[in-house]
Amino acid sequence: MKKNILTKREKQVFEMLIINKTTKEIAESLNISEKTVRNHISNAMQKLGVKGRASAVVELLRLGEISL
């Protein structure tokens, strides 16, 4: 799997998820709809081949896509 698998926006969403932001807070912060936030999360999970947000976060950390 190559680096930079996520779009800039998908990465932003996950960076906010790991600091415990809700979907609503992420949407407000990025000035997008909650549905768009969920779409970014779903797209990222599909790219990573994982089920669930937690698994996606673990995989992104492992790949060095995001950091704590």
Side-chain angles (χ1 to χ4, degrees), residues 44-62:
M45 290 188 325
Q46 197 167 20
K47 288 177 188 179
L48 295 164
V50 298
K51 287 181 167 53
R53 294 178 180 198
S55 297
V57 167
V58 169
E59 188 64 11
L60 290 169
L61 287 167
R62 193 184 69 72

Side-chain angles (χ1 to χ4, degrees), residues 3 5 10 13 42 44 66:
K3 271 206 166 262
I5 195 165
E10 289 164 351
V13 168
S42 293
I66 58 174

Side-chain angles (χ1 to χ4, degrees), residues 2-17 26 30 32 36-37 40-41 43-44 47 60 65-66:
K2 65 182 174 49
K3 271 206 166 262
N4 300 326
I5 195 165
L6 300 186
T7 65
K8 182 180 170 195
R9 188 61 104 185
E10 289 164 351
K11 198 178 232 184
Q12 286 176 316
V13 168
F14 274 93
E15 285 168 349
M16 292 181 160
L17 277 178
I26 294 169
L30 297 176
I32 57 178
T36 301
V37 172
H40 286 313
I41 293 167
N43 292 341
K47 288 177 188 179
L60 290 169
E65 283 275 324
I66 58 174

